[in-house]
């Protein structure tokens, strides 16, 4: 049986379990008081509600039809628990295969779906939050396995995901069979915690296949689909892996070299982050990493964060460091973290020089900090790869 069909059947099974009371109940959300200003559309069936929703996909934002349409769909969802949710989920695969009406755009009609759905706030409040999260997980899977491999990091992922997750609560969130990365991101959005590591601190007992299996669970995709996204002209122009490279093999090889050097990836990432924060002068820029937007758990560039990193690195101050950030160049575009559900983007490229060995330098993207810290991923044979041994020497972790 094709893997895509198996995945779809599992999604349907999980949704049926949710909607037919086989999982813990969710506290009910008070019904939104309907406004008498505009008549509601009479929707007699889930098919009717779906057709009505699809007819609204092309409406410009702010159209007068939007509010009564939202109230009409919300009223149907409350009156027929589970029916609209099931039809929404079934319709996602249809939308994923349909080209956008305007040929100038690359995205499928899932883009229209996401763009329209996030404005239907009353409908989002009316449907079962567990079904809503499964729906967003399926949108994610459809995008990641589409022909062009393009994944929209649309505002609806964050707004919709957070709304559903907050309604559900952290305890019930952990009971849903969601991709690990999605569950981690939403939990951190609720609690304010930092995103956890994808891989354990020690990788010496893991084979490349073991590493690949962890990433499959984290992304909710097959390793083949994930690796396809990491190639050039997919999730990024330059790519994170070169054609023919395997994610587990690349990470295992770099982890092995760090182990031989006696260097931990966390110590390396801490020094890299510290250098970038020193360069940015945290008193002037209270953000995450330079030009980095992480909506699901922030690295604070506060004085306390800098002090913590310096203490961990055993460095008293910037002048005491065995390295210096020579330059951080910012571009107009952004690079998204391929392992974060939601949005985590960076636009800075750095040059760091060793003070002990001035001829040694490393260059890379500011996105390297979370990639190295969370996944021991220095990238494959692509332009933004950072050699782990050279980085350890430049940052003063080895002589």
């Amino acid at each position: 049986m094709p893997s895509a069909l198996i995945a779809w059947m599992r999604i349907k099974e999980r949704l049926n379990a949710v909607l037919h009371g086989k999982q813990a109940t969710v506290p009910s959300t008070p019904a939104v008081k309907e406004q008498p200003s505009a008549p509601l559309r009479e929707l007699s069936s889930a098919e009717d509600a779906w057709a009505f929703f699809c007819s609204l996909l092309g409406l410009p934002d702010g159209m007068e039809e939007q509010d009564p349409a939202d109230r009409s769909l919300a009223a149907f969802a409350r009156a027929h628990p589970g029916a609209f949710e099931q039809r929404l989920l079934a319709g996602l695969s249809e939308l994923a295969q349909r080209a956008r009406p305007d040929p100038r755009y690359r995205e499928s009609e899932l883009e229209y779906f996401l763009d329209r759905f996030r404005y239907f706030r009353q409908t989002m409040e009316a449907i079962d939050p567990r079904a809503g999260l499964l729906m967003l997980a399926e949108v994610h899977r459809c995008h990641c396995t589409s022909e062009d491999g393009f994944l929209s990091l649309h505002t609806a992922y964050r707004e919709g995901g957070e709304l559903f997750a907050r309604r559900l609560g952290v305890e019930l969130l952990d009971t849903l069979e969601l991709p690990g990365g999605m569950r981690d991101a939403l939990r951190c959005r609720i609690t304010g915690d930092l995103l956890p590591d994808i891989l354990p601190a020690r990788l010496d007992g893991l084979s490349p296949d073991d590493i690949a299996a962890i990433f499959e669970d984290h992304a909710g995709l097959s390793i083949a689909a994930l690796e396809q996204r990491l190639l050039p002209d997919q999730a990024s122009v330059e790519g994170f892996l070169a054609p023919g490279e395997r994610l587990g093999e690349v990470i295992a090889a770099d982890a092995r070299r760090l182990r031989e050097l006696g260097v931990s990836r966390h110590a390396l990432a801490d020094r890299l982050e510290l250098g970038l924060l020193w360069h940015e002068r945290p008193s002037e820029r209270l953000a995450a990493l330079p030009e980095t937007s992480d909506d699901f758990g922030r690295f604070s560039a506060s004085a306390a964060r800098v002090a913590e990193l310096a203490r961990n690195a055993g460095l008293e101050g910037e002048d005491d460091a065995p390295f210096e950030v020579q330059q951080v160049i910012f571009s107009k575009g952004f690079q998204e973290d391929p392992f974060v559900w939601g949005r985590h983007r960076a636009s800075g490229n750095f040059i760091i020089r060793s003070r002990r060995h001035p001829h040694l330098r490393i260059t890379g993207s500011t996105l390297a900090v979370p990639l190295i810290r969370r996944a021991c991923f220095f990238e494959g044979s692509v332009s933004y790869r950072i050699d782990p041994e050279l980085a350890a020497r430049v940052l003063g972790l080895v002589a």
Side-chain angles (χ1 to χ4, degrees):
M1 184 179 294
S3 59
L5 180 58
I6 294 174
W8 170 241
M9 291 174 65
R10 287 175 179 168
I11 286 282
K12 288 187 69 177
E13 288 174 1
R14 294 203 296 270
L15 181 62
N16 284 329
V18 163
L19 298 178
H20 292 95
K22 296 180 181 179
Q23 296 194 21
T25 58
V26 182
S28 59
T29 302
V32 178
K33 186 176 181 180
E34 296 177 355
Q35 304 295 324
S37 55
L40 296 184
R41 170 74 173 265
E42 290 293 334
L43 302 172
S44 59
S45 67
E47 200 66 38
D48 189 20
W50 172 250
F52 177 54
F53 179 75
C54 286
S55 72
L56 303 169
L57 291 181
L59 286 179
D61 297 343
M63 290 289 288
E64 291 183 0
E65 294 93 331
Q66 185 172 293
D67 181 67
D70 185 16
R71 292 187 289 114
S72 298
L73 289 169
F76 178 85
R78 287 192 294 270
H80 305 84
F84 186 50
E85 291 91 326
Q86 286 185 314
R87 188 59 186 90
L88 272 177
L89 191 57
L92 295 179
S93 295
E94 302 169 18
L95 293 180
Q97 302 304 318
R98 282 159 55 180
R100 208 168 186 177
D102 189 333
R104 293 174 300 173
Y105 293 96
R106 178 183 179 190
E107 298 87 344
S108 71
E109 282 199 13
L110 274 174
E111 286 296 297
Y112 274 138
F113 171 84
L114 285 172
D115 187 64
R116 185 56 44 211
F117 192 66
R118 71 188 179 106
Y119 292 108
F120 282 63
R121 192 78 176 189
Q122 295 181 52
T123 304
M124 293 174 71
E125 291 281 3
I127 67 176
D128 190 302
R130 296 165 298 186
L133 289 171
L134 289 175
M135 177 187 68
L136 289 180
E138 177 63 4
V139 170
H140 175 88
R141 188 193 69 79
C142 286
H143 258 309
C144 290
T145 55
S146 63
E147 263 183 26
D148 57 19
F150 180 76
L151 171 65
S152 167
L153 294 174
H154 199 282
T155 306
Y157 276 107
R158 305 189 308 283
E159 291 184 356
E162 182 181 356
L163 185 149
F164 292 137
R166 288 188 182 280
R167 286 180 57 201
L168 194 63
V170 173
E171 291 185 1
L172 288 182
L173 180 65
D174 289 336
T175 67
L176 286 184
E177 293 185 40
L178 299 172
M182 178 180 178
R183 189 166 50 245
D184 288 344
L186 291 172
R187 185 189 303 109
C188 290
R189 187 63 172 170
I190 296 172
T191 63
D193 295 335
L194 299 181
L195 284 168
D197 289 350
I198 299 171
L199 296 176
R202 295 182 59 86
L203 303 183
D204 44 322
L206 298 179
S207 69
D209 288 343
D210 294 331
I211 293 171
I214 293 173
F215 273 93
E216 284 187 321
D217 178 71
H218 181 268
L221 301 169
S222 69
I223 192 61
L226 179 57
E227 289 172 342
Q228 177 67 28
R229 286 188 58 219
L230 298 176
L231 293 176
D233 294 319
Q234 298 293 320
S236 77
V237 174
E238 299 295 330
F240 296 89
L241 290 176
E245 288 186 316
R246 296 290 174 262
L247 181 61
E249 293 173 357
V250 168
I251 291 175
D254 287 338
R256 183 167 56 251
R257 186 62 189 127
L258 286 179
R259 191 162 58 251
E260 292 168 352
L261 294 169
V263 174
S264 82
R265 73 177 196 260
H266 293 93
L268 195 152
D270 283 352
R271 289 203 173 197
L272 182 54
E273 182 188 356
L274 178 61
L276 294 171
L277 295 181
W278 270 336
H279 183 78
E280 282 299 297
R281 299 294 183 267
S283 61
E284 301 171 10
R285 182 178 180 80
L286 295 178
L289 295 176
E291 287 300 308
T292 299
S293 170
D294 179 358
D295 292 305
F296 294 120
R298 295 183 180 278
F299 292 107
S300 172
S302 65
R305 176 62 178 170
V306 173
E308 176 189 3
L309 290 169
R311 185 170 56 253
N312 292 343
L315 301 173
E316 294 182 2
E318 188 172 359
D319 294 336
D320 183 44
F323 59 90
E324 64 175 338
V325 178
Q326 291 186 299
Q327 194 173 33
V328 178
I329 303 172
F330 299 104
S331 61
K332 292 182 179 180
F334 293 92
Q335 175 57 61
E336 306 286 356
D337 187 328
F339 304 135
V340 172
W341 190 94
R343 176 166 291 167
H344 186 175
R345 50 171 49 173
S347 67
N349 298 324
F350 61 79
I351 302 174
I352 300 179
R353 179 180 70 90
S354 168
R355 285 176 170 156
R356 295 174 181 169
H357 310 284
H359 64 287
L360 295 182
R361 289 175 171 80
I362 56 173
T363 63
S365 165
T366 52
L367 198 61
V369 174
L371 293 181
I372 293 170
R373 177 180 284 129
R374 300 184 65 226
C376 196
F377 187 47
F378 293 80
E379 305 197 30
S381 302
V382 294
S383 60
Y384 281 97
R385 173 172 171 77
I386 299 174
D387 180 83
E389 180 173 354
L390 178 59
R393 295 190 186 283
V394 168
L395 296 172
L397 291 167
V398 294

